[in-house]
Amino acid sequence: LVLEAGWAPATQLDDFVQGRLRASDATAALRVFQHFPRWVWRNEQFAGFLEHLKEANESAPPARPAIAVYGMDLYGVPEAIVQVVRYLEAYDPPAAGRARRDYRCFAPYARPPLDPHLYGRDVANGAMPSCARQVQSRLTKMRQLAGPDPAPAAFAALMSARAIAGAEAYYRTLYALGARESWNLRERFLAESLRILLERHGKVVVWAHNTHQGDARATDQALAGELSIGQLMREQMAGEAVYLVGLTTSGGNVRAATGWGTPDRVKRLKAPIEGSWSRLLHDAGSPAFVLIFRDNPDLIDSLDHQRLDRDIGVTYLPDAELEKHYWQSSPAKRFDALIHI
């Protein structure tokens, strides 16, 4: 199971579901998520799901591989630094001190309310020197040291070093070149994470927002020059090897922020816009259903056209919903299946 979550924080979730963590319950394990947007995974529903995964591992036959949980994202820099330094303290103590110096550019942002993304802002305005060279050099050295090491701790530390290097480039790009370039850098990072994990497991289930899961070529994302992991996976792998599932709804509550790093709030969803996919699916009259486009050419033909589609991520702005949350989309080409509630 691969989450749209930082690599290093998610390793604690893997330790929990595989019985390596002494946390009393999943809620305790989820306390590792301290930085924005922590509520995405740190909630009652997901804690219950982790408990279910742990029980499934405990009751599984000995020959069945254990369910593993990973994060694929470049967020979670403070936790990733701890993971790299801890590994080096055990295998190359002098290198641990050098790694701390390599990563000291992130030290001011290690604790909330400051967020590591502010590193990019401070580099852009000259208040903080770039540490791009240092983190890339540290990643190269970690590949040499931890790459040949088969221990799980080595793989975790190496992936943490990769996440730190990815985050440094992402935050710097966000403020230097803008949202589109940083978005695509992150999508390519996520896609590479999936390929690395596929080499280890052969099969993964990916849990992320629609804007990542769907094929960007079937939406206005393509007009904006934005990629998605759904698109990248379809392009890089045989078509039958990738199955993209989207999720949509028409009403209810959503927990979201008004901007990056701002407090999360429970907000009531506005009624979907007339003529949008959410409204069309709501008007079908069924409380919940799934549309399976894969191997269903008649359904694809009938629904393969552009309509307004609503996507909500970690932010929701009801007063600017049309501008911020709607774009043109063809779900029949964007997904292999679409769940509507």
Side-chain angles (χ1 to χ4, degrees):
L1 175 65
V2 186
L3 310 175
E4 185 190 338
W7 165 266
T11 58
Q12 182 157 304
L13 308 187
D14 188 51
D15 288 340
F16 175 77
V17 301
Q18 299 205 45
R20 298 190 296 260
L21 188 68
R22 292 184 177 180
S24 56
D25 54 27
T27 299
L30 286 165
R31 292 192 186 116
V32 68
F33 289 96
Q34 294 291 330
H35 285 277
F36 183 94
R38 64 181 188 175
W39 74 87
V40 174
W41 304 111
R42 190 171 163 176
N43 56 70
E44 181 180 344
Q45 291 80 7
F46 191 67
F49 181 64
L50 289 179
E51 297 278 2
H52 170 74
L53 295 183
K54 183 179 182 182
E55 292 170 2
N57 277 339
E58 291 172 344
S59 61
R64 198 191 77 181
I67 300 167
V69 178
Y70 297 101
M72 62 176 168
D73 219 333
L74 39 69
Y75 299 139
V77 169
E79 297 86 352
I81 291 173
V82 169
Q83 210 162 63
V84 172
V85 171
R86 184 179 297 152
Y87 175 80
L88 290 174
E89 285 174 339
Y91 292 92
D92 190 347
R98 294 192 292 270
R100 289 190 186 94
R101 292 193 294 273
D102 291 339
Y103 295 146
R104 62 187 171 188
C105 56
F106 284 112
Y109 319 102
R111 295 183 181 278
L114 294 181
D115 190 278
H117 89 278
L118 296 175
Y119 157 82
R121 179 203 64 183
D122 293 341
V123 169
N125 64 27
M128 173 70 71
S130 168
C131 60
R133 180 182 59 81
Q134 294 96 313
V135 298
Q136 287 293 340
S137 175
R138 179 53 49 192
L139 174 58
T140 299
K141 292 171 183 174
M142 286 296 294
R143 283 174 173 151
Q144 295 168 350
L145 176 65
D149 187 345
F155 178 65
L158 176 56
M159 291 291 282
S160 282
R162 173 180 169 268
I164 297 164
E168 190 282 328
Y170 171 74
Y171 293 136
R172 187 165 36 81
T173 300
L174 176 63
Y175 286 90
L177 300 178
R180 182 183 67 182
E181 286 76 10
S182 61
W183 172 275
N184 287 343
L185 185 155
R186 182 174 171 227
E187 293 305 297
R188 292 189 180 99
F189 181 93
L190 298 177
E192 183 183 61
S193 298
L194 295 181
R195 291 197 301 273
I196 292 171
L197 294 173
L198 277 167
E199 289 177 0
R200 295 177 69 86
H201 291 279
K203 178 181 180 180
V204 298
V205 177
V206 182
W207 190 342
H209 286 110
N210 281 0
T211 47
H212 301 291
Q213 301 282 75
D215 190 328
R217 295 170 296 183
T219 75
D220 284 348
Q221 284 181 278
L223 299 178
E226 290 184 356
L227 302 170
S228 67
I229 53 173
Q231 171 188 343
L232 292 171
M233 289 295 98
R234 279 180 169 175
E235 290 175 342
Q236 296 170 12
M237 303 178 67
E240 292 297 312
V242 181
Y243 200 96
L244 307 181
V245 182
L247 178 67
T248 185
T249 192
S250 62
N253 295 326
V254 61
R255 180 175 287 278
T258 56
W260 189 267
T262 62
D264 51 291
R265 297 283 186 270
V266 175
K267 305 180 182 185
R268 188 73 177 170
L269 281 177
K270 296 181 72 172
I273 292 175
E274 189 72 35
S276 67
W277 284 113
S278 295
R279 182 58 179 267
L280 178 71
L281 297 175
H282 172 72
D283 290 346
S286 177
F289 56 91
V290 57
L291 299 172
I292 299 177
F293 301 113
R294 173 75 65 88
D295 299 325
N296 195 336
D298 291 340
L299 186 60
I300 293 175
D301 289 343
S302 63
L303 295 183
D304 181 20
H305 55 270
Q306 298 282 322
R307 287 177 179 264
L308 286 174
D309 205 359
R310 179 168 63 184
D311 285 323
I312 298 171
V314 298
T315 62
Y316 180 51
L317 304 172
D319 295 335
E321 196 184 54
L322 179 60
E323 298 84 359
K324 299 295 185 180
H325 298 287
Y326 278 92
W327 49 20
Q328 297 288 330
S329 167
S330 170
K333 293 289 180 65
R334 190 182 186 190
F335 302 109
D336 293 295
L338 179 66
I339 300 167
H340 178 76
I341 298 174

